[in-house]
């Protein structure tokens, strides 16, 4: 019995040491890269908001986070909502949502909606879909045809637009848009006079 | 010393090229080589993981018990893949975005585990690093060839720069997975031709090989 335990320890101890070493290495690299990755994500978010509302490089919009309801009214997949202004002018709203049902991880999307509930534009912040295959759905040519300028009623009453060979990604994109519009409606009801 | 290094590089790039001779790491290679830039980033990422994992495995080769060596190699490889992924996300975000899911999938690339088991676990750290560099160079060159052919004829561009002008009609199939298979097949055939494997095989070797295959029932000899 003692011999077997010693054998087990002799085999497992090196594995534990190797795992500890690798974890320490990853932690050290993460310590240096995490702030840079966060900065990159912030820059990507800011640039995406500008692109969604068609602003130039020099224009700096004000992006105010909106308070999300903490109850069952909050659609699943909703991450955040922002009111976007340029000076005193309200440009619209930006919904940060995830689209479930993708081939790989959930899509993380930004959906820009104007005061009338129409989709201005949308973009993908993060996706792990197959390059050249699933991510075709995320190209401007596909989604602009089906989603831009549509309202919540038009989207929910129609079948999800599907691209052959990228069915799952197209479904995830539909779910993300659906979630963004549901979030917009929730916030509209909450405030009574607009999101 | 220099001759040994040169020999290792010749093996990695030509004699034992991971993609064109050993046919390893095919899945990611076919998927990612729609453009030369993707191929370059993938090749460099795999090379970095190969070098680091080879060095680590070589340093720990006397410490890792035989029974758990594969598990240990996988832990080491996945650790370095995670590190490379974090570094690329921080300093080459657009490249990390382009490689997508194939970046973490380097973990299951047979080349890396194969070199850890076949070379690094039996050799000193320095030759193991050179082996990682040589195999990585061979893999990167093969990916670049594949990517260059597919992008050039499939899209008419190289590194995104138009080569043939607006009048060129791209060969669509080359951008799709079947095109990748066709180009890879042609490159493997070209490699075999360059190596002159078949003509260099002497008559005794050929007879032995045929005899072995006929015993296995794969081919029949006419009387």
């Amino acid at each position: 019995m003692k011999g077997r335990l010693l054998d087990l320890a002799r085999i497992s101890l090196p594995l534990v040491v190797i795992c500890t070493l690798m974890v320490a290495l990853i932690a050290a690299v993460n310590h240096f890269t995490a702030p840079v990755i966060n900065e990159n994500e912030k820059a990507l978010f800011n640039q995406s908001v500008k692109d969604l509302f068609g602003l130039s490089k020099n224009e700096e919009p004000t992006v105010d986070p909106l308070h999300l309801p903490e109850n069952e009214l909050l659609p699943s997949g909703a991450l955040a909502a922002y009111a976007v202004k340029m000076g005193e002018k309200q440009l619209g709203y930006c919904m940060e949502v995830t689209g479930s049902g993708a081939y790989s991880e959930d899509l993380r999307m930004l959906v820009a909606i104007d005061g009338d509930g129409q989709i201005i534009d949308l973009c993908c912040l993060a996706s792990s879909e197959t390059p050249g295959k699933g991510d075709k759905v995320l190209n401007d040519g596909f989604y602009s045809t089906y989603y831009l300028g549509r309202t919540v009623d038009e989207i929910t009453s129609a079948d999800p637009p599907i691209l052959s060979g990228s069915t799952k990604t197209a479904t995830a994109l539909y779910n993300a848009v659906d979630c963004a519009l549901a979030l917009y409606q929730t916030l509209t009801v909450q405030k009574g006079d607009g999101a | 010393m220099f001759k040994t290094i040169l020999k290792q590089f010749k093996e990695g790039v030509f004699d034992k090229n991971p993609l064109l001779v050993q046919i390893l790491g095919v899945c990611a290679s076919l998927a990612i080589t729609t453009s030369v830039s993707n191929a370059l980033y993938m090749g460099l990422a795999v090379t970095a993981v190969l070098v680091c994992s080879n060095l680590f495995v070589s340093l720990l080769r006397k410490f890792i018990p035989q029974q758990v060596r594969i598990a240990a190699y996988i832990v080491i490889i996945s650790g370095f893949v995670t590190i490379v992924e974090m570094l690329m996300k921080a300093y080459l975000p657009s490249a990390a975005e382009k490689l997508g899911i194939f970046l973490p999938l380097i973990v299951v690339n047979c080349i890396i585990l194969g070199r850890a088991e076949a070379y690094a676990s039996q050799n000193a750290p320095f030759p193991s690093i050179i082996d990682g560099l040589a195999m990585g160079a061979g893999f990167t060159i093969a990916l670049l060839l594949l990517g260059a052919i597919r992008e050039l004829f499939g899209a008419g561009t190289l590194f995104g720069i138009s080569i043939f002008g607006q009048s060129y009609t791209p060969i669509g199939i080359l951008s799709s997975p079947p095109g990748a298979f066709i180009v890879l097949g042609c490159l493997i055939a070209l490699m075999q031709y360059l190596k002159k494997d078949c003509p260099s095989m002497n008559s005794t070797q050929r007879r032995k090989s045929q005899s072995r295959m006929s015993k296995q029932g794969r081919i029949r000899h006419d009387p």
Side-chain angles (χ1 to χ4, degrees), chain A residues 10-11 14-15 17-19 21-22 25-26 29-30 32-33 36-37 40 104 125 127-128 130-131, chain B residues 56 60 63-65 67-68 72 75-76 79-80 82-83 86-87 89-91 93 98-99 101-102:
Chain A
R10 195 174 51 80
I11 290 170
L15 258 185
V17 172
I18 289 169
C19 288
L21 263 174
M22 291 316 298
L25 254 177
I26 290 171
V29 174
N30 183 56
F32 293 108
T33 54
V36 185
I37 293 172
N40 289 345
S104 188
L125 288 179
S127 110
S128 300
T130 312
Chain B
F56 227 67
L60 298 172
F63 177 69
I64 301 171
Q67 299 94 323
V68 291
V75 170
I76 292 169
F80 281 115
T82 310
I83 289 169
M86 289 195 300
L87 288 171
K89 275 187 178 169
Y91 302 109
K98 278 182 184 173
L99 294 183
I101 190 69
F102 293 104

Side-chain angles (χ1 to χ4, degrees), chain B residues 27-163:
Chain B
C27 177
S29 309
L30 294 179
I32 213 70
T33 51
T34 47
S35 72
V36 192
S37 55
N38 282 5
L40 183 66
Y41 289 131
M42 185 62 165
L44 292 178
V46 169
T47 306
V49 176
L50 249 173
V51 171
C52 296
S53 61
N54 265 14
L55 172 66
F56 227 67
V57 168
S58 175
L59 284 170
L60 298 172
R61 68 189 188 281
K62 288 171 186 167
F63 177 69
I64 301 171
Q66 275 293 305
Q67 299 94 323
V68 291
R69 67 187 193 288
I70 300 295
Y73 300 161
I74 294 288
V75 170
I76 292 169
I77 292 166
S78 53
F80 281 115
V81 170
T82 310
I83 289 169
V84 167
E85 190 185 355
M86 289 195 300
L87 288 171
M88 282 186 80
K89 275 187 178 169
Y91 302 109
L92 290 168
S94 62
E97 180 73 21
K98 278 182 184 173
L99 294 183
I101 190 69
F102 293 104
L103 190 53
L105 277 181
I106 293 174
V107 174
V108 291
N109 195 319
C110 313
I111 301 164
I112 302 165
L113 186 62
R115 293 323 289 174
E117 169 73 352
Y119 195 90
S121 63
Q122 294 156 25
N123 288 281
F126 184 68
S128 298
I129 292 175
I130 300 297
D131 181 73
L133 282 172
M135 287 293 160
F139 186 63
T140 308
I141 289 170
L143 285 186
L144 284 175
L145 274 174
L146 199 57
I149 294 170
R150 290 183 69 193
E151 190 183 345
L152 188 62
F153 298 108
T157 60
L158 264 183
F159 287 103
I161 301 161
S162 178
I163 301 293

